[in-house]
Amino acid sequence: MEKIERHNRVAVNVGDITIGGAAPVVVQSMTNTDTADAASTVTQVAALARAGSELVRVTVNTEEAAQQVASIRAQLDDMGCHVPLVGDFHYNGHLLLTKYPDCAEALSKYRINPGNVGFKDKRDRQFSVMIEQAIKYDKPVRIGVNWGSLDQDLLARFMDENAKLKEPKDVQLVMHDALVASALESAALAEEIGLPRDHIILSCKVSAVQDLIAVYRMMSEKCDYALHLGLTEAGMGSKGIVASTAALAVLLQQGIGDTIRISLTPEPGGDRTREVIVAQEILQSLSIRSFTPQIAACPGCGRTTSTVFQELADDIQSYVRQQMPEWGKHYIGVEDMQVAVMGCIVNGPGESKHANIGISLPGTGEQPAAPVFIDGEKRMTLRGANIAAEFKQIVEDYIASNYPQKPS
């Protein structure tokens, strides 16, 4: 399989995580708790980290939130959860970072939106204060432009310049130019103040797929800063997943992107960790990174009159994801394992042979005879009510026999 070559980017260290350079694409997420509620925030950060988020961003919008950041960091460390925390600042970050040095120190990275740091003559002054705090505490910064909060003075400048052209550009293209310019001009100012180039990450987030692709292609051509990808306000459920996948897959396939976040709107009462799983699955589907064994399962058709294979596929997929943290502690390479749970005899045996471990149900009957294939060879046939438990044990035995143990 041909490997995707990433664009060469300046490497940025965020705690123990490297973004850019030759490092793997990093998965990150963001809490939706009130950061002033330290207990809830600690619980959600820990859950996101367990799901595989390698960075977690928290909102720092009030004095009460800033006052809790150091405590949140300490509580996570006491739990053995050392995931780097990123502080998300808008409007008053210059005040909070200055007034609460323990907050500034506890965070591993700051996120600054240049459209929301201040307006008119305050903009550069307040931006400078935040950069100076990043320099003081040796923290990297993501300069994160968003088209919902783009600097209106900068946009007006670009619109005016465009209007003077003999053949003015489409307004949407002018917006693209302004987004990229906002990021690059802010990065240049940060470097002028003294922030090293290897402490800067850029993003230009929009909520439309084609716009995101166009903006990041442009930004990738114009700079070598590490780039954070994400479709902002992606939406809820399948819409958010499909739109994010459509945009990020194109860019990642072209080697653009060093860290990603999937900005899903949670279902009411839904699990925040879903955005982490989607990010991992995008990277794994593109063969960019492996996180957990992949489960191949057929969609079902008129031949699969039994629900047994659907229940089995769901059970095995949940089991594999739950077990992966433990497997990952003890075995090398288990995340690359391929498992197939198929519903009938049309493609089932063949697909099962292609996997490391596969099971092929006959498609009918609630008491099926299900052949199991291991590394392409039929090894046994499972029958009766305990197929799921028996198949899980086969998976466990295969891992113990085929993947080397990590040094203790």
Side-chain angles (χ1 to χ4, degrees):
M1 183 180 296
E2 186 176 350
K3 184 180 179 182
I4 296 173
E5 292 295 332
R6 299 247 306 286
H7 289 211
N8 188 27
R9 298 285 158 192
V10 175
V12 180
N13 292 322
V14 182
D16 294 332
I17 301 295
T18 300
I19 296 172
V25 178
V26 171
V27 171
Q28 59 181 279
S29 59
M30 185 176 183
T31 59
N32 61 356
T33 57
D34 179 356
T35 308
D37 181 351
S40 295
T41 302
V42 167
T43 297
Q44 192 172 84
V45 170
L48 290 165
R50 282 194 302 272
S53 185
E54 293 159 305
L55 299 177
V56 178
R57 183 159 44 116
V58 298
T59 298
V60 188
N61 58 333
T62 63
E63 293 198 28
E64 291 77 11
Q67 288 169 351
Q68 292 300 321
V69 169
S71 174
I72 290 167
R73 176 72 277 164
Q75 290 179 60
L76 289 166
D77 287 341
D78 287 344
M79 295 167 57
C81 178
H82 303 297
V83 63
L85 295 178
V86 180
D88 193 60
F89 295 98
H90 296 269
Y91 308 112
N92 59 356
H94 60 294
L95 299 175
L96 297 177
L97 284 170
T98 304
K99 187 173 181 179
Y100 298 98
D102 57 343
C103 169
E105 179 64 41
L107 294 167
S108 295
K109 179 167 70 111
Y110 309 154
R111 187 273 178 138
I112 303 174
N113 181 341
N116 285 342
V117 294
F119 305 100
K120 303 296 182 181
D121 59 327
K122 293 182 179 180
R123 178 195 175 280
D124 286 354
R125 184 169 69 252
Q126 292 176 181
F127 179 83
S128 296
V129 170
M130 297 182 75
I131 296 301
E132 287 164 359
Q133 295 304 302
I135 295 168
K136 178 179 179 179
Y137 294 102
D138 192 27
K139 305 295 182 179
V141 169
R142 172 160 70 92
I143 296 172
V145 180
N146 190 303
W147 73 348
S149 51
L150 182 60
D151 184 332
Q152 292 303 298
D153 290 339
L154 182 145
L155 180 59
R157 185 183 94 208
F158 271 76
M159 290 295 184
D160 290 344
E161 291 173 356
N162 184 62
K164 295 174 184 177
L165 298 175
K166 286 185 178 181
E167 296 183 9
K169 294 182 181 180
D170 180 83
V171 170
Q172 200 79 348
L173 297 180
V174 179
M175 173 73 84
H176 295 174
D177 291 339
L179 284 162
V180 174
S182 178
L184 295 181
E185 289 179 13
S186 298
L189 178 57
E191 286 199 65
E192 184 180 319
I193 295 166
L195 189 67
R197 197 172 187 82
D198 64 0
H199 280 50
I200 298 173
I201 298 167
L202 298 186
S203 67
C204 280
K205 290 192 173 183
V206 301
S207 56
V209 170
Q210 294 295 351
D211 290 309
L212 190 84
I213 293 168
V215 165
Y216 273 90
R217 281 175 173 166
M218 184 189 307
M219 191 154 60
S220 181
E221 291 172 357
K222 289 178 176 288
C223 73
D224 63 355
Y225 295 108
L227 299 179
H228 168 76
L229 300 187
L231 194 72
T232 192
E233 288 88 43
M236 182 179 285
S238 61
K239 186 271 177 184
I241 294 171
V242 170
S244 294
T245 303
L248 269 60
V250 171
L251 292 166
L252 291 165
Q253 184 69 23
Q254 295 173 357
I256 298 171
D258 303 288
T259 177
I260 66 172
R261 185 205 170 193
I262 308 302
S263 300
L264 296 181
T265 304
E267 307 286 348
D271 191 342
R272 189 70 168 180
T273 62
R274 191 180 189 193
E275 67 177 48
V276 179
I277 294 169
V278 172
Q280 290 180 332
E281 288 177 345
I282 290 172
L283 294 174
Q284 191 148 356
S285 295
L286 292 168
S287 299
I288 291 174
R289 287 187 68 182
S290 294
F291 297 94
T292 191
Q294 294 287 79
I295 311 298
C298 68
C301 66
R303 297 181 184 87
T304 52
T305 59
S306 168
T307 61
V308 172
F309 96 92
Q310 296 168 324
E311 295 160 358
L312 180 62
D314 182 63
D315 190 358
I316 297 303
Q317 181 160 286
S318 298
Y319 175 76
V320 164
R321 184 162 285 280
Q322 290 166 5
Q323 290 295 107
M324 183 57 210
E326 191 66 23
W327 292 339
K329 290 178 186 177
H330 300 292
Y331 298 102
I332 299 169
V334 68
E335 63 274 7
D336 294 316
M337 183 174 65
Q338 300 290 317
V339 179
V341 180
M342 304 301 292
C344 81
I345 61 173
V346 173
N347 294 315
E351 189 74 37
S352 296
K353 290 177 183 178
H354 290 312
N356 296 111
I357 308 171
I359 186 169
S360 179
L361 281 78
T364 58
E366 295 299 330
Q367 295 182 337
V372 174
F373 298 83
I374 298 177
D375 291 329
E377 296 182 3
K378 181 180 174 182
R379 297 290 181 86
M380 63 201 73
T381 299
L382 302 183
R383 293 180 173 86
N386 295 318
I387 285 179
E390 292 174 13
F391 190 68
K392 289 175 189 176
Q393 188 59 55
I394 292 168
V395 171
E396 293 282 358
D397 293 343
Y398 182 89
I399 291 170
S401 300
N402 289 272
Y403 293 96
Q405 290 200 17
K406 292 182 176 179
S408 56

